Amino acid sequence: MSVSLSQKTLDPAELRPLGSKDPSWGRLAAPNPLVRVIKGLLRAAYQEKLSIISLIVFFLLWEGVCYFKIIGPYQLAPPSKVLKLLIAKLATQNPDGAYLWAHALSSLGLALSGFGAATLFGVPLGLLMGWYPRLNHLVRPVFDLLRPIPPIAWIPLAIIWLGIGGVAKGFIIFLAAFVPGVINSFTGARLTNPVLVRVAKIHGASDFTAFWRIGVPSAAPMIFTGLRLSLNAAWTTLVAAELVAASQGLGFMIQMGRRLARPDIVIVGMLTIGLLGAFLSWILSKIERSFFAGRAS
Amino acid sequence: MEPQLSVSFAAPPSGSARLGGQKAPNPSGSDLSGQLHAEYVLRSRDLTVAYAVKGQPPLLAIDGLTLGVKENEFLVILGPGQCGKTTLLNCFAGLLKPNSGAVEFLGEKITGPGLERGLVFQNYALFPWLTVEDNIAFGLKSRKTPKPQRKALVQKFIDLVGLKGFEKAWPETLSGGMRQRTGLARAYAAGPTVLLMDEPFGALDAQTRYAMEKELLAIWEKEKRTVVLVTNNIEEAIFLGDRVALLTQRPGRLKAEWPVDLPRPRGYTDPAFLAFRREISERYDLAL
Ligand SMILES: Nc1ncnc2c1ncn2[C@@H]1O[C@H](COP(=O)(O)OP(=O)(O)O)[C@@H](O)[C@H]1O
Ligand SMILES: [Mg+2]
């Protein structure tokens, strides 16, 4: 049998398995509507549509649970009420003593100052410990001793030392944010490619110059990882720190909501904490991205 | 088990026996006239280097090597893998302290790194957080060269190595050949008297490698420097060198030395080239 090399287009029917008489072989299947809907739904599962669906279901269930009094009004407030309060709280100080944005600003100020101080001290300390083993041997034991103590456990001591003002709360947040800042900067500096250090030495760099020009930029990605974890820790500890004693702040607002038996206030406070936290992380990742812009990898 | 360094140069954090910095005797780098009272620009004398390996006798990497390179000479040191080539260059660069013997620059003992000795690395060792031009400017910043002068010099070497248009590129976006051009320009820009090159084209594919060898010669003809290049590739050695020094297997000792009297450009397939290649191959220790 000779093989034809001409570029004859195959008739789809020829592709039918031997003996099969099914005429749909080789033709595009005309999908029936049900199959199309199911396929569409499946595809949505891979996209974000399903997440939206799940959110809607979640809020509907929540609303229903309250509407049918499955959970009482002193235990849970429906989303509709929460949303109403969220808007109202922008313009009213009642009943917890401050506008929502005032609570938010107070909390932000506290968290960011604790985070800022932790970054200011923690990152350089971590970098230097990563670069100079002697400093590491000096500081490490104390650091490792204090590290496993949860920041919240410091609250009583913080009150004894610093009173119940903002300083004590800032101190707790500082402790929480300090640890990841140090550890990640340390690791970043430690992992510096020794060959690059040699290049710097070849070019006449002293040990400290090499630290500054090689160690620090090498550690930059890890520094940012540390900042992210640090910010996270600061924001997470915030509520606990504001439980110490406060007259403002989102943690305080939640606490007031509990005392007033107003679950809607509690939930508005919780939601604000969540949203602001996500917003802060988003800003940090924006900064990170612009910092590494172009340095494609 | 990780081998332990007897002399620390690899560790970024402070090491045990770091060498002190050495001042460049000749900041302009290129012009040696009147200063060259030594016969050799760079020389090792009875150089012996051993690495301390935990739980084992010291590992002898170089054993009593005496070898020198003259002004503007292109010396190729040829040797099988692991024979101590990198170790030797690190000694010349002042990154590694000999256990005995000495390495000298212009007759003076080398006690540390110096800008008069530039090093080009096999794996380029570019700073990934700096653009091409900032990588090249690195040594000039160390020298505290004023900015306008620095810019001019950087541009000069960018043009020299053929990186025009890539000034703002990031190293990761470059091909191997382009990266090594950057490495070469960076070494040149620091103004060295001697260029040390550690298998600079070892990571490139054969075609790129050949192109880069030609390029290197063209650059070197324009900007003459004393060059010490190490390689394990016989053709590369013959193609590039004014002189080829062959090392034994580890521990590295000088096995043979040839001046390469073939006129440049040399062709890989010229009969004289091939004859030379055969001669060297016969003496070349295989590291299996
Ligand atoms: N830091 C080190 N510690 C221990 N042994 C080493 C170290 N560096 C190199 N060596 C050993 O020294 C020998 C020579 O190494 P090297 O100079 O890198 O050889 P080459 O560059 O010729 O391949 C090798 O056997 C290698 O394993
Ligand atoms: Mg090597």
Side-chain angles (χ1 to χ4, degrees):
Chain A
M1 197 176 98
S2 75
V3 179
S4 157
L5 287 176
S6 71
Q7 290 204 321
K8 174 191 152 207
T9 41
L10 277 177
D11 176 1
E14 288 176 19
L15 291 172
R16 192 186 310 161
L18 280 177
S20 161
K21 298 213 169 66
D22 182 354
S24 72
W25 259 99
R27 240 190 294 143
L28 280 176
N32 82 38
L34 187 64
V35 169
R36 230 169 33 201
V37 168
I38 290 171
K39 273 195 178 156
L41 273 177
L42 283 177
R43 212 173 303 129
Y46 288 102
Q47 299 167 354
E48 281 153 20
K49 282 173 199 157
L50 208 65
S51 346
I52 293 170
I53 292 171
S54 82
L55 274 180
I56 290 172
V57 170
F58 173 75
F59 281 110
L60 281 179
L61 275 178
W62 178 5
E63 188 78 39
V65 157
C66 295
Y67 184 82
F68 295 108
K69 303 236 162 48
I70 298 169
I71 300 179
Y74 294 108
Q75 272 85 48
L76 187 65
S80 53
K81 199 171 165 200
V82 168
L83 188 67
K84 233 181 279 169
L85 181 73
L86 184 74
I87 294 162
K89 275 301 293 172
L90 294 175
T92 174
Q93 294 178 300
N94 288 328
D96 46 283
Y99 300 110
L100 180 59
W101 49 263
H103 285 309
L105 278 184
S106 159
S107 290
L108 269 181
L110 199 55
L112 288 183
S113 53
F115 167 71
T119 300
L120 207 63
F121 290 103
V123 170
L125 178 66
L127 288 173
L128 288 166
M129 280 166 69
W131 198 261
Y132 296 103
R134 283 208 192 114
L135 181 68
N136 186 32
H137 292 317
L138 195 69
V139 179
R140 197 58 189 249
V142 181
F143 185 75
D144 279 345
L145 191 71
L146 300 182
R147 186 162 66 131
I149 302 174
I152 302 167
W154 285 88
I155 289 178
L157 265 189
I159 293 176
I160 293 171
W161 292 344
L162 303 163
I164 53 170
V167 184
K169 282 172 275 183
F171 175 65
I172 307 292
I173 295 173
F174 169 84
L175 287 177
F178 188 66
V179 172
V182 172
I183 293 178
N184 287 281
S185 309
F186 170 85
T187 311
R190 210 37 183 304
L191 293 180
T192 304
N193 181 352
V195 175
L196 296 185
V197 178
R198 264 186 274 165
V199 179
K201 296 265 160 90
I202 290 282
H203 288 92
S206 66
D207 207 24
F208 185 76
T209 313
F211 166 70
W212 185 245
R213 292 184 72 187
I214 311 300
V216 174
S218 297
M222 283 302 282
I223 294 176
F224 268 103
T225 304
L227 290 186
R228 233 179 300 124
L229 294 173
S230 216
L231 184 65
N232 203 35
W235 196 244
T236 311
T237 318
L238 174 80
V239 180
E242 281 180 342
L243 294 181
V244 171
S247 57
Q248 237 181 21
L250 295 166
F252 166 77
M253 182 180 168
I254 292 177
Q255 192 72 351
M256 278 301 280
R258 184 187 63 80
R259 269 188 231 148
L260 297 169
R262 286 277 305 271
D264 53 339
I265 294 182
V266 175
I267 295 171
V268 165
M270 287 167 65
L271 277 181
T272 314
I273 289 172
L275 289 174
L276 273 181
F279 178 65
L280 287 179
S281 310
W282 179 77
I283 291 182
L284 191 61
S285 70
K286 275 276 161 199
I287 295 173
E288 182 175 356
R289 212 163 306 154
S290 75
F291 190 85
F292 294 114
R295 216 177 118 180
S297 66
Chain B
M1 188 200 298
E2 278 291 304
Q4 291 287 304
L5 273 175
S6 63
V7 264
S8 162
F9 62 89
S14 73
S16 42
R18 186 176 294 102
L19 298 161
Q22 195 176 52
K23 283 275 163 295
N26 171 24
S28 77
S30 49
D31 182 27
L32 278 175
S33 49
Q35 289 200 39
L36 192 64
H37 25 66
E39 189 189 353
Y40 294 103
V41 178
L42 205 57
R43 190 154 91 111
S44 70
R45 276 197 297 113
D46 288 324
L47 177 70
T48 300
V49 185
Y51 292 103
V53 184
K54 234 190 197 145
Q56 278 173 42
L59 188 148
L60 195 57
I62 296 181
D63 185 18
L65 183 68
T66 299
L67 189 62
V69 56
K70 295 183 177 132
E71 190 188 359
N72 289 347
E73 185 185 26
F74 199 127
L75 172 68
V76 176
I77 298 173
L78 178 65
Q82 308 292 302
C83 78
K85 303 183 293 294
T86 298
T87 304
L88 176 62
L89 280 197
N90 279 330
C91 288
F92 279 145
L95 292 167
L96 194 57
K97 213 153 85 176
N99 292 59
S100 72
V103 275
E104 295 168 349
F105 176 73
L106 297 179
E108 278 180 47
K109 197 169 168 189
I110 292 168
T111 57
L115 287 165
E116 73 284 355
R117 283 160 284 133
L119 186 51
V120 177
F121 293 78
Q122 170 170 0
N123 291 312
Y124 324 124
L126 302 177
F127 304 115
W129 58 88
L130 297 180
T131 58
V132 164
E133 62 181 1
D134 287 340
N135 261 286
I136 296 171
F138 192 89
L140 291 164
K141 280 189 187 158
S142 292
R143 277 185 185 281
K144 305 216 157 45
T145 312
K147 198 167 178 188
Q149 218 175 317
R150 194 168 77 211
K151 282 201 127 166
L153 276 171
V154 167
Q155 198 56 52
K156 173 183 163 188
F157 289 108
I158 281 179
D159 294 347
L160 180 72
V161 301
L163 277 170
K164 216 182 184 113
F166 289 89
E167 289 85 349
K168 301 269 189 278
W170 297 95
E172 275 125 292
T173 65
L174 299 179
S175 66
M178 289 307 223
R179 288 184 201 193
Q180 199 52 293
R181 286 168 200 261
T182 310
L184 190 60
R186 179 175 65 185
Y188 256 112
T193 308
V194 189
L195 275 173
L196 307 167
M197 302 196 203
D198 191 359
E199 302 194 38
F201 310 133
L204 301 176
D205 62 86
Q207 292 307 313
T208 316
R209 178 177 197 145
Y210 180 56
M212 286 298 294
E213 286 166 7
K214 284 203 285 195
E215 194 88 1
L216 174 62
L217 280 183
I219 292 165
W220 178 69
E221 298 285 353
K222 267 188 249 168
E223 289 277 335
K224 274 275 164 77
R225 296 286 187 279
T226 307
V227 175
V228 180
L229 182 145
V230 308
T231 181
N232 56 20
N233 184 300
I234 300 178
E235 280 101 340
E236 182 167 284
I238 306 170
F239 187 77
L240 293 174
D242 288 328
R243 191 152 56 91
V244 174
L246 178 65
L247 300 187
T248 60
Q249 271 191 58
R250 194 187 76 215
R253 298 191 190 95
L254 190 61
K255 178 153 187 177
E257 235 185 302
W258 297 269
V260 187
D261 292 325
L262 310 176
R264 292 190 177 98
R266 299 167 186 160
Y268 270 49
T269 50
D270 293 350
F273 193 103
L274 291 173
F276 209 150
R277 186 185 183 290
R278 194 172 318 116
E279 187 179 337
I280 296 182
S281 302
E282 276 160 15
R283 311 284 315 272
Y284 194 93
D285 290 340
L286 289 179
L288 295 175

